[in-house]
Amino acid sequence: MNITIEELKNEDLEQYKHLIDSCFGESNSIEYYKKNYNKNSNYTILVAKEKDKIAGSITFYKIDLFTFSFQPALEIFNVAVLKEYRRKNIAKNLFTYIIEYAKNNGFKSIYLTCLDTAHEAHRLYENIGFKKMSSIKYNLSL
């Protein structure tokens, strides 16, 4: 299997929406994606492709000054791989790409949040080298 990793292109937004819908349930409309993608230069979506088909994706957000250390960091979210591509190192390759990007661009840490019940994802993150932190996440929906 020959997988390439690249930034999401506008012409691939429909495939990306299909991936997100498949992995997380119904997402925003395709019009929303087309209107809002590429509006924030700190926000990057990477996709893993086999030929022209998106097999997986990962999103990261650049934070210039993060937490008490005031060091640049990346925050990762929306790690997604289509079911037929799971257990083929797609997510691991996406993380390897981001880790190298972070090292080469002066970022000092990478953070992510995961649901308590996503045990398979926990194993993936820990196998890559992430450490589980003892914190509680709060949310205020407006």
Side-chain angles (χ1 to χ4, degrees):
M1 177 183 321
N2 188 15
I3 297 292
T4 58
I5 297 175
E6 62 186 47
E7 282 192 38
L8 177 65
K9 298 175 187 154
N10 286 323
E11 59 265 23
D12 291 330
L13 285 172
E14 289 193 27
Q15 274 195 76
Y16 175 74
K17 178 181 172 15
H18 170 73
L19 169 72
I20 296 301
D21 289 350
S22 296
C23 293
F24 302 118
E26 190 67 25
S27 66
N28 295 307
S29 70
I30 192 63
E31 290 77 23
Y32 179 87
Y33 282 102
K34 289 177 180 178
K35 179 181 175 190
N36 291 293
Y37 183 59
N38 283 330
K39 284 202 170 180
N40 186 331
S41 62
N42 285 335
Y43 179 86
T44 302
I45 299 172
L46 296 176
V47 292
K49 286 183 167 183
E50 182 182 38
K51 298 182 180 154
D52 289 334
K53 182 176 181 179
I54 293 177
S57 73
I58 193 167
T59 302
F60 67 91
Y61 190 80
K62 300 173 200 169
I63 304 170
D64 292 327
L65 301 173
F66 188 72
T67 70
F68 305 109
S69 61
F70 295 103
Q71 298 291 323
L74 296 180
E75 184 169 6
I76 293 176
F77 49 100
N78 290 353
V79 179
V81 177
L82 289 172
K83 279 189 180 181
E84 62 266 29
Y85 286 95
R86 291 183 186 163
R87 302 204 185 284
K88 296 182 180 182
N89 290 323
I90 303 290
K92 185 177 180 182
N93 289 335
L94 287 162
F95 272 102
T96 299
Y97 186 98
I98 286 181
I99 291 166
E100 285 305 307
Y101 173 88
K103 288 177 181 177
N104 293 332
N105 288 281
F107 292 94
K108 302 300 180 192
S109 55
I110 301 173
Y111 298 89
L112 61 85
T113 301
C114 186
L115 295 173
D116 287 342
T117 56
H119 302 291
E120 225 175 296
H122 297 180
R123 281 190 294 280
L124 167 69
Y125 303 147
E126 290 171 14
N127 284 336
I128 290 168
F130 283 83
K131 304 287 184 236
K132 191 181 288 188
M133 305 297 292
S134 59
S135 63
I136 298 173
K137 183 174 182 173
Y138 291 89
N139 183 49
L140 176 63
S141 296
L142 304 174

